[in-house]
């Protein structure tokens, strides 16, 4: 998501901070800033826009030299991109400066508490709360103040802290967001990713959750946020810069597939709380009364986002008991859709700039419908023009083929559908509770699937020589099969089709011949036996079947040629797990065929024309 850079040593920090931030530009950002301790005190310069804009500002307003500083590139989550919302953020007296990656779930309650104590807030961000909170505990020991503040923060955070009163120290803390410490001679570094510091050192500490580092010119002290010493082995970076930008992965797509456990945590952060059998969507302006008035729902999107909408359709219909239409945006406005003020329209766009989706949004508003947007980009056109927004918080996605953007859209749909069901009283808490618990387990379950990537790679290399492949599934599995088919087509150029398994006998079986690869999804218990029957149909005609099923359906192993068993979860949220092996399948097939995974031919990341 965002980028963090910190430096303490004997060199001018401004240039080191800026160059480090430039190495993190691949992560995506909408604003940038630095804070430096100088002989004239702590100076902060920040601006909306690119690092080039920050450099222009620094040329107009040169900083006094300082050898200690922190820098940041921001990807907006709380508050639109603006100068005021840019990092670093300071306390009321501008003595403490903080940069932060992540999301503070309890920032509103902390903000109210600190405001009552006299703190003056100037931004819309959750990050500003951290600087005021640290200041409230600071009695001359910045390390202790940071430790006390960290105990109050709930959510995901990697922070770097600079104090005007103790300019000989930099303090860093990690909780669920990546952070590394670079080790030099008489100088040390903080980075959110290895490329930021690779020009200066290849020796790093990789902080774990609940750990912090105190940097001085003379060394680095590692400890827990409770103050207990930590002993940690140094890590030697042997990658070149191009590989380091991908965190050691060969391609951005593979990195982004592996980003998904953290992306899931970020999307669910602040929306799920332990012990409560429901979801929170405080960002919605929709009142319970308004939610109860809707009579139908339209989901409108393009490509991968449309496939997320197919899953969202089933979740809303099943849980909230409202009729839902899902349609590709390029067709939607040309069929004169039946829209009224009692229609809820949900538009989905990773970039928030998709031309067809924007046109559908405007058509819906013209007819008086209420529009909720699901998007990844704060400040995007879709986010600005919709009546309500659910941000996915997936972080930037560099590869053209969408992975974590799709899967976090699923989570946003699940959260909204559960919220809608509870407000409309169509699903009791005793049924919502197990689903919420299952959602909370997804990040670790996704991580466990990624550990088995070699199983997928082996099958992908088998199918790489084929020119045709079929995906089949029923219910939720059919929705995911369509996304799996699209992924394979767009980056490996293997012609693939997804079919509702029950439709095979209505014509599609004519395409099955000896050796035809078929990927069969069978994660839905109520449809399992019917899906097995469909699998038998294609195998009887010579198909080679790769089955993907839940681990409690082990009997499928004897009925297919290959099988991958997924961790057990609630059937309705199984797409959030079953899509992972399909993403890996597409990736490894493309690699095996020698194609440019991150930049497939004829495609663009954001489609801003019709």
């Amino acid at each position: 998501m965002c980028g963090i850079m910190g430096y303490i040593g004997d060199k001018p920090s401004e240039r080191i901070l800026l160059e480090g931030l430039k190495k993190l530009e691949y992560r995506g950002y909408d604003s940038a800033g630095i804070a430096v301790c100088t002989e004239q005190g702590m100076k902060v310069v920040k601006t909306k826009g690119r690092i080039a804009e920050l450099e222009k500002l620094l040329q107009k307003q040169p900083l006094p030299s300082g050898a200690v500083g922190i820098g940041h590139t921001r990807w907006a989550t709380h508050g639109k991109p603006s100068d005021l919302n840019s990092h670093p953020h300071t306390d009321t007296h501008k003595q403490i400066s903080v940069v932060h990656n992540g999301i503070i779930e309890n920032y509103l309650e902390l903000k109210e508490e600190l405001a009552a104590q006299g703190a003056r807030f100037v931004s819309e961000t959750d990050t500003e709360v951290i600087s005021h909170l640290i200041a409230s505990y600071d009695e001359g020991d910045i390390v202790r103040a940071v430790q006390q503040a960290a105990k109050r923060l709930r959510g995901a955070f990697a922070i770097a802290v600079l104090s005007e009163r103790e300019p000989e120290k930099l303090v860093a803390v990690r909780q669920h967001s990546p952070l590394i410490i670079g080790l030099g001679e008489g100088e040390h570094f903080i980075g959110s990713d290895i490329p930021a510091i690779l020009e200066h050192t290849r020796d790093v500490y990789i902080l774990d959750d609940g750990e912090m580092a105190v940097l001085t010119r003379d060394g680095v002290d590692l400890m827990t946020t409770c103050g207990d010493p930590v002993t940690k082995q140094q890590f030697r970076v042997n990658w070149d810069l191009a590989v380091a930008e991908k965190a050691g992965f060969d391609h951005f797509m593979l990195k982004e597939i592996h980003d998904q456990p953290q992306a899931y945590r970020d999307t669910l952060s602040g929306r799920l709380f332990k012990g409560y059998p429901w979801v929170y969507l405080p960002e919605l302006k929709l009142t319970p009364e308004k939610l109860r008035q809707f009579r139908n729902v339209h989901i409108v999107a393009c490509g991968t986002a449309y496939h997320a909408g197919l899953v969202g359709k089933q979740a809303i219909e099943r849980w909230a008991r409202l009729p839902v239409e899902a349609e590709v945006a390029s067709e939607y406005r040309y069929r004169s859709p039946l829209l009224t003020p009692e229609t809820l329209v949900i538009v989905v766009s990773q970039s928030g700039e998709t031309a067809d989706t924007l046109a559908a949004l405007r058509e819906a508003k013209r007819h008086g419908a209420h529009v909720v947007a699901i998007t990844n980009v704060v400040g995007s056109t879709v986010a600005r023009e919709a009546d309500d927004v659910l941000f996915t918080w997936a972080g930037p996605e560099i590869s053209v083929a969408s992975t974590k953007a799709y899967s976090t859209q699923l989570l946003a749909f699940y959260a909204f559908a559960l919220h809608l069901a509870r407000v409309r009283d169509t699903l009791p808490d005793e049924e919502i509770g197990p689903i919420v618990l299952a959602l909370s387990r997804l990040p670790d379950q996704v991580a466990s699937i990624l550990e088995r990537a070699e199983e997928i790679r082996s099958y992908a290399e088998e199918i790489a020589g084929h020119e045709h492949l079929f995906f089949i599934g029923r219910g939720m599995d059919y929705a995911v099969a369509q996304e799996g088919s699209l992924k394979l087509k767009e980056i490996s150029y293997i012609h693939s089709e997804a079919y509702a398994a029950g439709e095979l006998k209505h014509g599609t079986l004519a395409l099955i011949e000896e050796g035809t690869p078929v990927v069969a999804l069978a994660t839905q218990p109520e449809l399992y036996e019917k899906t097995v029957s469909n699998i038998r149909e294609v195998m009887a005609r010579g198909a080679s079947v790769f089955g993907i099923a839940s681990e409690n359906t082990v009997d499928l192993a004897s009925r297919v040629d290959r099988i991958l068993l997924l961790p057990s979860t609630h059937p309705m949220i199984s797409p959030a797990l079953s899509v992972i092996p399909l993403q890996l399948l597409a990736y490894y097939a493309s690699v095996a065929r020698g194609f440019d995974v991150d930049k497939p031919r004829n495609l663009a990341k954001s489609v801003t024309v019709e």
Side-chain angles (χ1 to χ4, degrees), residues 221-258:
D221 290 329
L222 302 177
M223 63 195 75
T224 68
T225 50
C226 295
D228 299 322
V230 169
T231 301
K232 188 177 288 287
Q233 288 238 319
Q234 290 183 24
F235 175 72
R236 179 75 177 176
V237 180
N238 293 316
W239 318 322
D240 62 23
L241 184 58
V243 175
E245 288 180 348
K246 304 180 184 79
F249 294 101
D250 290 337
H251 299 91
F252 280 110
M253 183 180 177
L254 187 59
K255 175 187 179 295
E256 286 154 9
I257 291 172
H258 282 262

Side-chain angles (χ1 to χ4, degrees), residues 464-487:
H466 289 264
E467 292 303 324
H468 305 281
L469 185 142
F470 298 98
F471 292 79
I472 62 172
R474 303 181 74 127
M476 285 291 198
D477 287 335
Y478 175 44
V480 180
Q482 292 177 74
E483 173 59 13
S485 176
L486 176 62
K487 278 291 150 295

